[in-house]
Amino acid sequence: MTRSIYVAAPEGQTGKSVVALGLLDTLLREVESVGVFRPLVRSGGPDDILEMMLGQPGVTLDYDDAVGITYDEMRSDPERALQTIVDKFGRISPRFDAIVVLGSDYADVTSPTELSFNADVAANLGSSLLLVVSGHDRDVDDIRSAAESALNEFTAHHVQTIGVFANRVNPEILEGTARALRDLTHLVVAALPSDPVLIAPTLRDQFEAVGARQVLGNPDLLDRESQDVVVAAMTLPNILSRLVTEATVLMPSDRSDLLPGLILAHHSGSFPQLTGVILTGGYPIPDNVRKLFDGMHLDLPIGMTDQGTYTTAKAVFNTHGLFTSSPRKVEISRRIFAEHVDAEALIKAIEVEPSKAVTPLMFGYQLNELARRDRRRIVMPESSDDRILESASILLQRGVADLTLLGDPVEIKTRASAMGWVLDGAEMVNPTNPELVERFSEEYAKLRAHKGVTVEQAREKMKDLSYFGTMMVHLGMADGMVSGAINTTANTIRPSLEFIKTKPGVKVVSGSFLMCMPDRVHVYADCAVNPDPTAEQLADIAISSAETAVAFGIEPRVAMLSYSTGTSGSGADVDKVRQATELVRERRPDLALEGPIQFDAAVDPAVARTKLPDSAVAGRATVFIFPDLNTGNNTYKAVQRSSGAVAIGPILQGLKKAVNDLSRGALVDDIVNTVVITAIQAQTETH
């Protein structure tokens, strides 16, 4: 039976699309197929919110199929309009396990009529209600009153309500709002804070609002958000003291003497990064001032309008951005929902049946949620690489990890600004900081004294950012490290082997892959580090891989792979696997384990019934331990290429702290995934 959840509000501008997107993500983690439906849309053009929802990974539905009726159709014949909505919903309903139904925006008719219409639609679709009320410019009592009034309307239409969320709430009254909603109802409640980015216009929006034309700077940065407006009508020192991050500066075009100072401040890294400048009055920039910019890379967009300062300021202050205007807003919305909504309670209230299958998409959503749930700090040493900065921007927006970037903070900020990447919230540590260099060098010399390492030699080591970053992890200044976009695998792993060391009882570091099949996730190991492990090392790899499986929510059923199953074969290779299996049984008798076992007997229930009918692992293994690197590496690549499986890794396992290596050809998505995985590993290491 398809479950449908109607996300509705009693008024416009509640930000219910933030809740709808978060609900969509939550469902995509639990079930295989989720649809989106919008009963009522404006006439005369596509619905931006609906298009954004339909564009999310995992949603496979055409726009026309996801739309009910327009406001014109509703006004023309309300009864027929309702029947059309029910018919269209009925046609898509069988295709999905769950459907998010997004209520109307109060764009065309009076609020009481539209609220009643939404309640009527929800009742006729058989949807459960998730009510969203606005907290904007309201105190706790006002929010509670708005929720209570709307609940009464839906109750009168016999709509089952599962939750009440207050959105755009002043962060100072979040707890009080949540308590008030809990006092009002036994349903799932949440208070979501306001975030200025979500309503921020882009610089392009502001330019269009005042008829500005770009005269300098990078046009590719016009779609950056502007979070504030600064009117520059003072001397430069006073203006500089009033600059704020991602602000648009308005200044008279005949005060061109201020422009070089503003641009210098923006590029210096010592002042907040600006979004743009709008010159008012229409006076051209003098040629001798323009010459100042000829020899520099000027990325800050500068526009010119003929309007006066007052008229321009009034228009710009009244310009607001759409929620769908940027991927950044979508990611921030996801983060806000994940941080303030009890997803488990919500799923329980919806009563959706969780899927027994786990698709790659579902697993990806689950990984992000795991990382957000207990955020860890990850150090990224290679900030000179643009891929690292871009991935850092994405990770910060998603809220899946706290980040430390190694490098000159001014250079990092300048490069990020030039490319339009927002790194707010990232810690930036200069690896030439004398105090840190000395502290790290003394610690390294102490740890490596048995090798005759002096403090002077240690100082040279700390010039290597892999060593510097690993020392931050060792000293608890970070929970994990991701490196390798520039450095070699050996250079990434070597510092960890020298002074982070392996876990107690583990003598070897190994590399596993999370293999995301169409309907399940397996762990393959070792596919990255050890060419020909001994039986003892193979046992270490198996135990480490089982722990990796647990960290990522996979029930470990371990298959020790060989060319022979059970006692049917002999020889040095199969004997090694047999010995390793016994060692694992001795050390971890709690693990579900089978070996030696052939790959087909490990994955195919029919083969398992013939070869090992009484095994708890055969036919349903989740952790696959290969006898050597040649077999493991080739197998994971063969499965990846031939079946379309998504391979995530390698994941280094066996170390006391979470350290992972990137391929030097890693894409931004690869880096993002590796940091998320490292953050999840770090959760288990620090508990």
Side-chain angles (χ1 to χ4, degrees), residues 13 100 124 130 196 220 254 327 330 342 345 352-353 420 437 462 496 631 653-654 658:
Q13 304 300 314
V100 176
N124 279 275
L130 184 54
D220 293 336
D254 62 354
V330 170
D342 185 340
V352 68
E353 184 69 27
V437 169
M462 289 306 119
S496 299
T631 307
Q653 50 189 30

Side-chain angles (χ1 to χ4, degrees), residues 18 41 100 136 199 230 237 243 262 333 337 343 367 485 552 600 656:
V18 172
V41 297
V100 176
H136 182 61
I199 60 170
V230 176
L243 295 181
L262 281 173
S333 297
F337 188 94
L367 291 182
F552 293 102
D600 59 348
K656 288 181 182 177

Side-chain angles (χ1 to χ4, degrees), residues 88-105:
K88 285 192 171 184
F89 181 81
R91 285 198 288 270
I92 69 167
S93 181
R95 296 164 53 185
F96 302 102
D97 298 314
I99 299 178
V100 176
V101 184
L102 188 58
S104 62
D105 288 336

